[in-house]
Amino acid sequence: MEPPPTSHPNPHVTMQDVADRAGVSAQTVSNVVNGRTARVGPETIERVSRVIDELGYRLNQSARSLRKGRTGIIGLGVPVLASEYYGELAERLSRRFAERGIRLVTENTGGAMPAEVESLAASHLETYDGYILAIAASESADLNRILPTKPIVLLGERALSSRFDHVLMDNVGGARSATGHLLDRGARSVVALGGVRSGPESVQTLRTRGYDDAHRERGLEARPELILDAGLHIADGYRAITELINQGVEFDGVFALTDSSAHGALRALADRGVGVPSQVQIVGFDNVQAGAYTIPRLTTIEPGNDEMADEIVSVMLTRLQSGPPSGDRRRIMVPTRLVVRESTR
């Protein structure tokens, strides 16, 4: 009598057990499990799949990885865990790696240079087959102290060390598009919320550069008092816009350097009874999911979130196959696009 089907994995069932029950070779079972079915008939595929479900067989990914000298784990270091943008990034990468039988482990660097460098050090990489680091504070000189022994992919705003593959966001181009949209819709006093013109190259200086470029291209000059070095989080946006209103500074547009700060700005304007977009238009940057549900829905810059995740996974998988590169590293810039919603006219 056949045992009843089971929906639970059984670690004691082997590939040979499946082969014996299905009346095929272990190689055929391996082909079905690993998707190599070009030469396997549909009836055989169906029979093997049914037996796999009945016996509760699951491929031992860990054992297979260890036979290849791998752990089956990729590390991801981000500046802050309590961030919608980085949370969505981790989710995108986790799904894509899971589809390939790889587990993603996320850790918090706090956006501090020592922690970023330490996260790349060999003691961390012993656990991972490869590492993805979202750069916030480190410079090329810091990263050049690391001799990569396993694949590393950097994610961030700036092109840094040539030792590593790097997937970049077009911060200047995206900010130029966001600010240009506001100016083309009639705004003439546009706040750069979180903007910084001087200092080391960063997400803030790059996006402020795009803000300035958009004004220059239209023969306009941005007012210095509207460039607010206010931080990039929701509370920063709320506080900065509230203070600007309290000071009596007139403005009719806000380019928020992140969607998070844009959400704070929306709340501050609502609290003061300022209409959006009738009196002040707002554009954010990042296209996080919450922006589609704010009141009004937030116009924003889509920085190529899915494309960046695809590129990161592609580069990492390529390096896992070939090992750390001995030649040129890849440097990939993902294009941005404007997502127009209700917060602009």
Side-chain angles (χ1 to χ4, degrees), residues 6-27:
T6 176
S7 59
H8 302 290
N10 186 339
H12 302 296
V13 175
T14 67
M15 190 174 290
Q16 188 60 55
D17 293 332
V18 175
D20 292 343
R21 173 71 67 86
V24 298
S25 68
Q27 182 59 54

Side-chain angles (χ1 to χ4, degrees), residues 5-6 18 21-22 43-56:
T6 176
V18 175
R21 173 71 67 86
E43 292 183 359
T44 301
I45 295 172
E46 183 180 353
R47 185 166 69 255
V48 170
S49 299
R50 186 174 63 252
V51 171
I52 286 173
D53 288 339
E54 290 173 354
L55 298 183

Side-chain angles (χ1 to χ4, degrees), residues 3-283:
T6 176
S7 59
H8 302 290
N10 186 339
H12 302 296
V13 175
T14 67
M15 190 174 290
Q16 188 60 55
D17 293 332
V18 175
D20 292 343
R21 173 71 67 86
V24 298
S25 68
Q27 182 59 54
T28 297
V29 176
S30 176
N31 289 340
V32 172
V33 168
N34 290 285
R36 299 188 297 265
T37 57
R39 298 184 179 181
V40 183
E43 292 183 359
T44 301
I45 295 172
E46 183 180 353
R47 185 166 69 255
V48 170
S49 299
R50 186 174 63 252
V51 171
I52 286 173
D53 288 339
E54 290 173 354
L55 298 183
Y57 173 74
R58 293 295 181 269
L59 177 65
N60 189 333
Q61 182 67 44
S62 298
R64 188 171 70 169
S65 296
L66 289 172
R67 285 196 297 271
K68 295 180 179 180
R70 299 180 190 161
T71 63
I73 302 173
I74 298 294
L76 169 66
V78 298
V80 56
L81 293 176
S83 159
E84 190 167 8
Y85 173 76
Y86 286 115
E88 290 183 10
L89 169 68
E91 175 65 22
R92 285 185 178 93
L93 293 174
S94 179
R95 286 200 309 266
R96 285 162 171 78
F97 280 120
E99 290 170 357
R100 295 159 175 84
I102 297 172
R103 188 159 62 95
L104 185 75
V105 174
T106 304
E107 59 182 57
N108 183 9
T109 66
M113 183 275 290
E116 289 180 347
V117 173
E118 173 62 19
S119 72
L120 293 176
S123 60
H124 284 252
L125 293 178
E126 290 299 324
T127 309
Y128 305 132
D129 294 330
Y131 197 75
I132 303 160
L133 177 63
I135 292 290
S138 299
E139 300 293 338
S140 295
D142 305 317
L143 299 176
N144 284 338
R145 303 193 328 239
I146 303 296
L147 181 63
T149 59
K150 296 181 181 180
I152 291 173
V153 179
L154 301 182
L155 166 67
E157 326 303 339
R158 305 162 289 151
L160 292 170
S161 173
S162 60
R163 287 179 180 267
F164 310 106
D165 296 303
H166 204 143
V167 177
L168 295 160
M169 185 183 294
D170 186 6
N171 289 287
V172 176
R176 185 188 302 118
S177 178
T179 308
H181 176 69
L182 289 166
L183 297 173
D184 293 343
R185 297 298 174 95
R188 284 298 176 267
S189 298
V190 178
V191 173
L193 181 55
V196 175
R197 273 180 169 161
S198 60
E201 193 171 83
S202 66
V203 59
Q204 291 175 276
T205 60
L206 289 171
R207 293 182 186 179
T208 306
R209 186 185 306 167
Y211 165 89
D212 284 332
D213 287 349
H215 282 83
R216 192 177 304 111
E217 289 169 359
R218 290 160 179 77
L220 301 171
E221 186 173 347
R223 290 160 50 192
E225 70 270 22
L226 297 182
I227 300 176
L228 306 181
D229 182 4
L232 302 176
H233 303 295
I234 190 167
D236 301 321
Y238 182 88
R239 181 172 54 251
I241 293 300
T242 299
E243 290 176 359
L244 205 62
I245 294 172
N246 289 342
Q247 293 165 8
V249 177
E250 294 185 359
F251 60 97
D252 57 5
V254 176
F255 165 46
L257 271 65
T258 65
D259 280 359
S260 183
S261 62
H263 297 160
L266 283 171
R267 181 72 252 179
L269 292 167
D271 284 352
R272 292 307 184 93
V274 179
V276 178
S278 58
Q279 294 173 273
V280 174
Q281 301 182 76
I282 299 183
V283 179

